[in-house]
Every structure is written in structure tokens, then in C-alpha cells.
Amino acid sequence: MNDSIFVGLDVHKATISVAVAEGMRGGEVPNLGIIPNRADQIAKLAKKLGKGDRQVSSCYEAGPCGYGLHRDN
């Protein structure tokens, strides 16, 4: 599972807070920061995190701001 990465997204109207966990037990889950809640920024993040053959799995907070993100991507 070392070629996997798990991304947690806390979605707000204008911003998205991003945290990442590598695919191994016991690792740290660093906060990568906050990005604007815009399609171009989300695509840029996905491209960066999915570099190489790494498998990216993501989830978002199940609130009203996350539904648009799920629908658009």
C-alpha cells in the first residue's frame, strides 16, 4: 500500500482544507493547507497528488459544500 495516498477534504464555500495520509499504518497525517474552492485549483491538486502511478483515494466532509465538489469531479 505504499503507492497509495489518502486525501481528506474539509470543504467550505470559498476554501478547501487538505490533509494527506500515506498508505502505511502509523504514519503522520499532515495538513497540506488551504486551497480556493475552484475547479482549476482542485484539478491542480489532484494532478500534483497523483504523480506517477500513485493511487489517490479521497473523501470529503458530508456537508452541503461538498456535494458540488463530488458532482463536478
Side-chain angles (χ1 to χ4, degrees):
M1 274 188 101
N2 290 334
D3 59 343
S4 298
I5 190 168
F6 301 92
V7 183
L9 305 171
D10 186 11
V11 184
H12 301 273
K13 183 177 180 180
T15 61
I16 300 174
S17 181
V18 182
V20 175
E22 297 291 333
M24 59 189 140
R25 291 190 177 270
E28 292 186 29
V29 183
N31 184 343
L32 290 185
I34 297 173
I35 63 170
N37 189 350
R38 296 190 341 237
D40 63 323
Q41 294 297 307
I42 296 163
K44 183 178 174 181
L45 174 69
K47 184 176 180 180
K48 178 182 173 182
L49 295 176
K51 257 187 174 174
D53 291 334
R54 186 163 36 179
Q55 180 178 344
V56 179
S57 298
S58 63
C59 62
Y60 66 93
E61 178 186 8
C65 295
Y67 296 130
L69 174 65
H70 182 266
R71 182 179 54 246
D72 293 341
N73 293 299

